Amino acid sequence: MTASPVLSRDADGVRVITVDRPDKLNALDRQTLEALDAAFAAAADADQVRAVVLTGAGPKAFVAGADIAQMNALTPIEGREFSLLGQRLMRRIERLPKPVVAMVNGYALGGGLELAMACHLRIAADSARLGQPEVNLGLIPGFGGTQRLLRLAGRAAALELCLLGAPIDAARALQLGVVNRVVPAAELEAETMKLAAQLAASAPLALRGILDAVVLGGECPLEEGLQFETAQFGLLFASEDMREGTAAFLEKRRPQFRNR
Ligand code: DAK
């Protein structure tokens, strides 16, 4: 039996999912996409998991893209299957009812940047390099890169990255809004786990409401999005956590959220 290309471990309400193909810079082959899809489905179902961190094994790469060697040999039917698998995974991550943080520890290229952009927050090492180099292979991004980059960072950034195909450094990615934070490489793990711990201690139903309102509401026209937000807001008045959060404020103590 071959080892899984994806590892999962839990630490205080945070599930850390690691793409584990460091000798191939964590490139996404079919087996890895399938294993990631299963890992995220499991994280969604696990009650004790309140936040997820996604990263790549080794010091060099988050994910250096779709596996070019495997892609090169695909038939059109297999290419379609590969595309469906990738699109399903990205959508599953984006719609996960728990916050997902991409810990970008090195190259995030092609499908790797697309994977990071499907996550809700991105924190990058100052040594990371990010890009959509598909044009250099005679391709275009195929796991939602043109659309998520456009929505995340705007038309100028999407066209710059996709048309030129050249990777950018972490500082430029921060400037363009492609990542949320940049930290020294040596502090990446500690800073990411601190961020994830904060999310894991937060009110899960409120987090879910925010993710739904921003991710799903953001796909609607403004009027519908506002109605969606109102519905989510009203729903939280049925939760024990909302009573606890407001009571804790009034009683000048820390709230204890219980996901109810
Ligand atoms: N795929 C397969 N193997 C890869 C890889 C990749 N994307 N990236 C690196 N590797 C492998 C290398 O081949 C090498 O393997 P060995 O030769 O040792 O067996 C090993 O990882 C180490 O890489 P290097 O020796 O190249 O390391 P360097 O430090 O010299 O260079 C690099 C690092 C990141 C600059 C370089 O590896 C590189 O340029 N990698 C390719 C980056 C890239 O072009 N990524 C985008 C891939 S295209 C689709 C949807 C989506 C997509 C496709 C289809 N459909 C809808 C069907 C997505 C496409 C992409 O992501």
Side-chain angles (χ1 to χ4, degrees):
M1 214 175 84
T2 52
S4 172
V6 171
L7 307 174
S8 294
R9 67 180 166 88
D10 286 356
D12 298 329
V14 178
R15 177 154 300 176
V16 180
I17 298 176
T18 305
V19 180
D20 189 29
R21 298 185 75 207
D23 56 324
K24 296 292 173 194
L25 302 189
N26 304 316
L28 302 172
D29 61 2
R30 189 193 161 94
Q31 196 195 357
T32 306
L33 289 174
E34 282 170 349
L36 275 172
D37 199 49
F40 276 96
D45 285 348
D47 279 348
Q48 79 279 14
V49 174
R50 299 285 174 88
V52 180
V53 169
L54 174 64
T55 193
K60 270 184 81 170
F62 173 73
V63 166
D67 190 307
I68 299 171
Q70 195 179 67
M71 246 185 345
N72 177 258
L74 294 181
T75 65
I77 299 290
E78 290 166 340
R80 184 171 177 276
E81 291 299 314
F82 189 72
S83 168
L84 288 173
L85 191 54
Q87 298 276 9
R88 189 178 72 197
L89 167 66
M90 306 296 159
R91 200 66 177 139
R92 185 191 293 286
I93 295 173
E94 187 167 57
R95 298 183 69 162
L96 213 79
K98 303 169 183 185
V100 183
V101 181
M103 180 164 89
V104 182
N105 53 314
Y107 289 112
L109 301 175
L113 180 53
E114 291 173 300
L115 187 61
M117 289 193 296
C119 299
H120 303 121
L121 295 170
R122 282 153 296 286
I123 177 164
D126 54 2
S127 54
R129 293 183 68 76
L130 305 92
Q132 297 289 168
E134 288 87 347
V135 70
N136 302 323
L137 301 168
L139 279 170
I140 71 168
F143 290 153
T146 59
Q147 300 309 298
R148 290 199 179 88
L149 195 48
L150 178 66
R151 285 162 173 75
L152 194 61
R155 184 189 291 235
L159 289 174
E160 177 182 325
L161 268 75
C162 296
L163 288 178
L164 301 180
I168 56 173
D169 64 19
R172 175 85 176 129
L174 183 66
Q175 191 182 42
L176 292 175
V178 175
V179 299
N180 299 90
R181 278 188 205 174
V182 176
V183 297
E187 293 164 28
L188 179 66
E189 187 165 354
E191 287 298 319
T192 307
M193 292 312 286
K194 209 192 294 177
L195 184 72
Q198 181 189 332
L199 292 166
S202 189
L205 296 169
L207 293 177
R208 183 178 186 154
I210 291 165
L211 292 172
D212 276 356
V214 173
V215 176
L216 300 181
E219 292 169 9
C220 305
L222 180 63
E223 196 53 46
E224 278 173 46
L226 290 172
Q227 284 174 21
F228 198 74
E229 182 188 87
T230 299
Q232 296 288 328
F233 187 83
L235 201 57
L236 287 170
F237 283 72
S239 74
E240 288 178 22
D241 282 351
M242 174 268 172
R243 304 291 162 198
E244 165 64 7
T246 48
F249 174 81
L250 295 172
E251 292 161 17
K252 301 188 189 306
R253 61 174 174 81
R254 287 170 78 86
Q256 293 294 323
F257 295 119
R258 302 169 67 194
N259 199 17
R260 288 195 205 143

